Every structure is written in structure tokens, then in C-alpha cells.
């Protein structure tokens, strides 16, 4: 292994592990919370659970989940108000959100969707249907978590094989760089700040320093350079980073 001096003292041998897909359940009924937890874990998700809005805020403040299941009726804050709060905050605006409720009238569905929910499921629900809706929503709203082959310019990313190919040659890279590139390629042409990338790639903006992002960007460019594609990762001064196959302006 090639070692090089790292001014930010993040050891090369201990990359920060990328996180699996995390779902936050916000549900005060213990039996339903447990049913959801067991089934989502069985489906391969990492599950966090909150029994009210205050617990949910505390969890989200620590790390952004990849998707939220939100019960309509919570003891402290109506679920619909929590949905509006999440949508009204820049950091949490884009988290995929499914509302769970015993209500099923047309007006309730409209209210839930207007509050910012992406989807709506009525209790009692079929777990198979819920899992299908979760997968569909993640595919639509979080393509970096899906297994679809991504191509951009001369670069190809295959999530199933965990393989990057640039101009026809394999480009090995670490798991954090892979996940970073996957996110950037599925969100091409948009600028992301270091904080946003920490939230998205490491699910953590509290305990990981923003300079860590620069370290992984540098490693990513180094991994892309054998195919001379490192210029796909643009630095946007004062703002962050952007993936684009076009030349930097
Ligand atoms: Ca409830």
C-alpha cells in the first residue's frame, strides 16, 4: 500500500466506513414500532426509532436518515406539523418521507402530501406494500442508494459489482470514495457543501470534521486520474464540490 503524508491526519489505513441505508421510524405505538423495526431490519435496513417529535429531532440532529416513516398521530407534535418542519429546514428538506396513519380519507391524504410527504400509507398496511413503496421512493428520491448502473462521460459506476470503469480501465478506490462518487454522479451538476456531503455520505455532520471531505475528494481525484477523469470533480470556491463531465469554467 502506498502511504503518503496527510496534512489532515486522517490515517489512510482507517477509512471512515460508509453507512448502510438508514430508516428512521417515528411512531409512538410500541407494537407498531417494533413490527416495523424487525421487518425493516430483516429487509436489510439500519433502523432508528423515535416515539415522539422531540426524540426524532434529537436523532436527525445527530445524523440524517435516508428515509423517514412518520406516524400522523404523535403525543407531542402532530406528524403533519413535523413533516412541515422537516421540509422547511434546509438540512432535512430532501429526506424521503412516508406518512403512516390510521386515517384514510381523501382530505387527509391531500393534507399529508401538501405537508411535504412523498407518499402515504394507511394502517393497517401490508408490510410487502410498505417495503415496495420504500424501495420505489428511495429509487426516485435517493438514486445513490439504488443499484442502477450509472454512466457519465467516460465514467461508469456499477453499484452491484462495486466497480468503477474510466475510459475502459478499472479504477480501484476505497468504500468512502466509491460512495462519494456514487452520490456525486447521481446528483451531477449540483454543488454540494462539505457539510451536505458529510450528511449524505457519512450520515454525520457532528463528529466528522468538514476537512475530512477534502481528504476523500483528493483521494477520489487520485483514483480517477489514471483515466484522466479527475477533472470531473470540480471545486466550487466558497461553496463545495460538483460532479460535471464538462470543463470547469
Ligand atoms: Ca400514533
Amino acid at each position: 500500500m502506498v502511504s503518503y503524508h496527510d496534512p489532515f491526519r486522517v490515517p489512510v489505513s482507517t477509512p471512515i466506513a460508509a453507512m448502510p441505508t438508514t430508516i428512521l421510524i417515528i411512531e409512538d405505538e410500541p407494537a407498531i414500532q417494533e413490527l416495523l423495526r424487525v421487518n425493516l431490519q430483516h429487509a436489510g435496513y439500519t433502523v432508528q426509532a423515535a416515539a415522539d417529535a422531540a426524540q426524532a429531532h434529537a436523532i436527525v440532529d445527530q445524523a440524517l436518515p435516508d428515509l423517514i416513516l412518520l406516524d400522523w398521530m404523535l403525543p407531542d407534535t402532530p406528524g403533519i406539523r413535523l413533516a412541515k418542519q422537516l421540509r422547511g429546514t434546509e438540512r432535512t428538506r430532501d429526506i424521503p418521507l412516508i406518512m403512516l396513519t390510521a386515517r384514510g380519507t381523501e382530505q387527509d391524504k391531500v393534507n399529508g402530501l401538501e405537508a411535504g410527504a412523498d407518499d402515504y400509507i394507511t394502517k393497517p398496511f401490508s408490510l410487502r406494500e410498505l417495503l415496495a413503496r420504500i424501495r420505489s421512493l428511495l429509487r426516485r428520491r435517493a438514486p445513490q442508494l439504488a443499484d442502477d448502473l450509472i454512466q457519465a462521460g467516460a465514467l461508469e459506476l456499477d453499484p452491484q459489482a462495486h466497480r468503477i470503469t474510466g475510459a475502459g480501465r478499472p479504477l480501484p478506490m476505497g468504500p468512502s470514495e466509491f460512495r462519494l462518487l456514487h452520490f456525486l454522479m447521481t446528483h451531477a451538476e449540483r454543488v454540494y457543501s462539505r457539510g451536505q456531503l458529510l450528511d449524505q455520505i457519512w450520515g454525520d455532520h457532528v463528529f466528522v470534521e468538514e476537512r475530512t471531505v477534502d481528504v476523500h475528494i483528493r483521494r477520489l481525484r487520485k483514483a480517477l486520474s489514471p483515466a484522466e477523469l479527475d477533472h470531473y470533480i470540480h471545486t466550487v470556491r466558497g461553496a463545495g464540490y460538483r460532479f460535471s463531465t464538462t470543463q470547469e469554467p
Side-chain angles (χ1 to χ4, degrees), residues 7 37-38 45 60 115 126 137 144 162 178 180 199 204 216:
R37 178 201 288 279
V38 167
Y45 297 107
V60 169
S126 127
L137 181 56
Q144 75 278 10
H162 216 267
F178 186 93
L180 180 60
D199 267 335
D204 189 332
H216 288 284

Side-chain angles (χ1 to χ4, degrees), residues 27-29 71 73:
E27 164 66 79
D28 59 310
E29 287 164 67
D71 183 31
M73 301 285 282

Side-chain angles (χ1 to χ4, degrees), residues 84-109:
K84 283 180 183 159
Q85 287 169 357
L86 291 166
R87 286 297 182 247
T89 305
E90 194 192 352
R91 186 170 163 260
T92 54
R93 182 170 296 155
D94 294 327
I95 302 177
L97 178 65
I98 298 176
M99 290 205 71
L100 297 173
T101 178
R103 305 170 179 221
T105 70
E106 196 69 20
Q107 188 55 46
D108 287 336
K109 289 184 189 181

Side-chain angles (χ1 to χ4, degrees), residues 38-225:
V38 167
N39 282 279
L40 292 174
Q41 282 175 343
H42 186 70
Y45 297 107
T46 296
V47 177
Q48 293 178 301
D52 55 35
Q55 279 183 18
H57 280 302
I59 289 170
V60 169
D61 284 349
Q62 291 289 312
L64 282 188
D66 295 306
L67 183 142
I68 292 177
L69 293 180
L70 174 59
D71 183 31
W72 185 287
M73 301 285 282
L74 294 171
D76 54 350
T77 302
I80 199 159
R81 190 185 301 161
L82 182 53
K84 283 180 183 159
Q85 287 169 357
L86 291 166
R87 286 297 182 247
T89 305
E90 194 192 352
R91 186 170 163 260
T92 54
R93 182 170 296 155
D94 294 327
I95 302 177
L97 178 65
I98 298 176
M99 290 205 71
L100 297 173
T101 178
R103 305 170 179 221
T105 70
E106 196 69 20
Q107 188 55 46
D108 287 336
K109 289 184 189 181
V110 170
N111 290 345
L113 296 173
E114 280 182 348
D118 295 293
D119 203 353
Y120 187 103
I121 196 158
T122 306
K123 296 175 191 170
F125 47 81
S126 127
L127 285 163
R128 266 177 65 184
E129 183 188 355
L130 179 64
L131 288 171
R133 283 174 185 247
I134 287 172
R135 277 194 298 271
S136 153
L137 181 56
L138 285 173
R139 186 169 293 254
R140 184 153 49 91
R141 293 285 307 277
Q144 75 278 10
L145 303 174
D147 273 347
D148 301 330
L149 187 79
I150 312 287
Q151 277 178 307
L155 198 59
E156 187 180 279
L157 184 148
D158 182 347
Q160 285 186 33
H162 216 267
R163 189 178 293 141
I164 312 276
T165 312
R169 60 191 291 169
L171 300 173
M173 63 182 68
S176 291
E177 287 73 33
F178 186 93
R179 191 165 152 123
L180 180 60
L181 181 60
H182 198 183
F183 178 80
L184 290 171
M185 284 180 80
T186 50
H187 296 78
E189 307 297 339
R190 279 181 64 179
V191 181
Y192 288 91
S193 70
R194 289 165 180 81
Q196 287 174 318
L197 290 172
L198 282 177
D199 267 335
Q200 294 292 341
I201 315 305
W202 290 274
D204 189 332
H205 73 134
V206 178
F207 299 110
V208 184
E209 288 186 56
E210 293 201 348
R211 290 180 303 182
T212 304
V213 173
D214 301 335
V215 173
H216 288 284
I217 287 281
R218 204 163 58 237
R219 288 184 193 158
L220 176 55
R221 284 183 173 137
K222 198 176 171 194
L224 296 175
S225 63

